[in-house]
């Protein structure tokens, strides 16, 4: 379930005019920016952008970039982008960051539906004038390259059918690949990049039944290099993406110096989807409400905006 609280009736023209007013004079009225944009769904935000362009002949995104700053600006900017475009930006930033951020690309393409992955790849073309897969291939080598390029170019079947015999065979293949550092990684890559999510869940369950340990726990023991870390992230995201996101939030808030990028990414991308479920998981795991943990770790307008997206009422 989503955390976003958006009005049913809203006027994009009135919102555009109010935002223009917030940008006028000395300093920006950040409270108005948060109150309006923090309570509008994706369709409403695109309508505001369109109205602002028509009335003032200016892209509101450019205006927001110049009026806001720091983590607050980054969060608002990403919130204002269409989802496919936002995912393209996140993927591009991750590629530039190198191996420490490849999990972001895996997260995006493993959680999205096949149609959404295709839309994100199109948005990447339009924005960067080359393909996501060519950029990934240029920055990676070996098995890691095969896995990442395979994941972003995959168009998985989305049905509910399961082949139990195949689940057994492929659970064994994955076991061998993880157990042996020089195992048959090509086969593991083939399975993870081509099978439907439903089939893969059956395979992961079969792995646990046959080996008495979840595949993610087994991989964690062996995840010493970038490839095995990427395998681990792929399986975690496909297996239970909400639990994966809870862990990202926990890591972002508990480390020394908050990981604002991780916090922003999860809140902005999930607020209209399943952030309420992720919040509940966070509370179960940490015995503290996500809003309280966030309020303690960050400050200022960034804090107010993130708390708004988390569904906290003023």
């Amino acid at each position: 379930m989503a955390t976003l609280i958006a009005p049913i009736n809203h006027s994009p023209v009135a919102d555009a005019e109010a935002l223009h007013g917030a940008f006028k004079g000395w300093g920006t009225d950040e409270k108005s920016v948060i109150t309006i944009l923090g309570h509008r769904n994706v369709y409403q935000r695109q309508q505001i952008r369109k109205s602002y362009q028509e009335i003032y002949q200016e892209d509101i995104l450019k205006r927001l970039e110049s009026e806001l700053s720091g983590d607050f600006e980054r969060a608002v900017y990403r919130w204002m982008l269409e989802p496919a475009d936002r995912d393209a930006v996140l993927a591009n930033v991750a590629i530039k960051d190198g191996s420490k951020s490849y999990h972001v690309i895996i997260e995006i393409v493993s959680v999205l539906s096949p149609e959404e992955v295709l839309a994100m790849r199109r948005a990447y073309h339009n924005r960067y004038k080359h393909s996501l897969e060519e950029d990934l291939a240029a920055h990676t080598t070996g098995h890691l390259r095969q896995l990442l390029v395979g994941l972003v170019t995959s168009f998985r079947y989305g049905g509910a059918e399961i082949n139990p015999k195949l689940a057994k065979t492929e659970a064994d293949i994955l076991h061998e690949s993880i157990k042996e550092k020089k195992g048959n990684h090509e086969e593991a890559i083939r399975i993870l990049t081509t099978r439907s999510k439903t089939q893969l869940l059956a395979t992961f369950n079969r792995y646990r039944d046959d080996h008495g340990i979840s595949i993610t726990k087994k991989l964690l023991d062996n995840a010493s290099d970038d490839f095995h870390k990427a395998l681990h992230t792929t399986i975690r995201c496909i297996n239970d993406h909400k639990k994966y996101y809870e862990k990202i939030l926990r890591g972002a808030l508990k480390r020394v110096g908050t990981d604002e990028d991780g916090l922003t990414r999860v809140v902005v991308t999930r607020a209209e989807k399943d952030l309420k479920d992720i919040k509940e998981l966070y509370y179960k795991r940490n015995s503290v409400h996500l809003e309280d943990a966030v309020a303690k770790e960050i400050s200022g307008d960034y804090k107010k905006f993130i708390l708004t997206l988390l569904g906290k009422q003023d």
Side-chain angles (χ1 to χ4, degrees), residues 101-291:
S101 293
Y102 289 147
H103 65 278
V104 176
I105 297 162
I106 296 167
E107 173 189 309
I108 292 166
V109 297
S110 300
V111 174
L112 295 181
S113 71
E115 293 292 347
E116 287 170 331
V117 173
L118 208 52
M120 182 268 286
R121 288 169 63 201
R122 278 201 196 99
Y124 197 99
H125 285 185
N126 294 336
R127 188 174 266 269
Y128 301 110
K129 308 306 174 202
H130 31 99
S131 74
L132 173 56
E133 50 271 34
E134 73 179 295
D135 282 357
L136 266 177
H139 286 80
T140 51
T141 57
H143 290 121
L144 179 64
R145 175 195 281 169
Q146 286 173 31
L147 177 64
L148 292 174
V149 172
L151 286 170
V152 303
T153 55
S154 177
F155 193 80
R156 297 180 193 276
Y157 173 62
E161 293 83 356
I162 290 168
N163 181 334
K165 200 174 165 190
L166 189 65
K168 159 76 179 147
T169 308
E170 295 192 337
D172 291 342
I173 292 169
L174 288 173
H175 180 66
E176 289 305 310
S177 179
I178 294 163
K179 192 176 70 175
E180 301 293 331
K181 275 298 170 92
K182 293 187 176 123
N184 195 346
H185 296 326
E186 275 84 2
E187 280 297 279
I189 292 165
R190 174 189 65 77
I191 293 164
L192 292 174
T193 58
T194 63
R195 295 296 181 209
S196 74
K197 287 182 185 175
T198 317
Q199 182 64 37
L200 285 171
L201 289 178
T203 301
F204 302 156
N205 289 337
R206 185 62 197 244
Y207 186 102
R208 191 184 58 240
D209 293 345
D210 287 356
H211 302 285
I213 184 172
S214 77
I215 189 167
T216 48
K217 280 201 173 72
K218 184 72 180 167
L219 254 172
L220 204 52
D221 297 337
N222 288 280
S224 56
D225 57 65
D226 287 340
F227 171 65
H228 280 87
K229 283 177 190 162
L231 271 188
H232 182 251
T233 302
T234 304
I235 293 168
R236 275 194 69 114
C237 287
I238 292 168
N239 200 31
D240 189 339
H241 72 269
K242 291 174 192 174
K243 269 173 82 175
Y244 168 84
Y245 282 127
E246 185 280 325
K247 193 180 179 191
I248 293 284
L249 289 171
R250 190 170 5 118
L253 294 165
K254 284 196 171 172
R255 61 182 264 180
V256 179
T258 310
D259 171 17
E260 285 87 357
D261 275 350
L263 173 62
T264 298
R265 189 175 77 252
V266 177
V267 172
V268 162
T269 59
R270 308 316 295 178
E272 295 179 80
K273 293 186 174 179
D274 49 17
L275 191 52
K276 204 169 188 180
D277 306 326
I278 296 163
K279 274 168 59 176
E280 283 166 14
L281 280 175
Y282 188 92
Y283 182 73
K284 274 183 197 161
R285 180 74 172 68
N286 305 283
S287 303
V288 61
H289 291 292
L290 181 57
E291 291 95 325

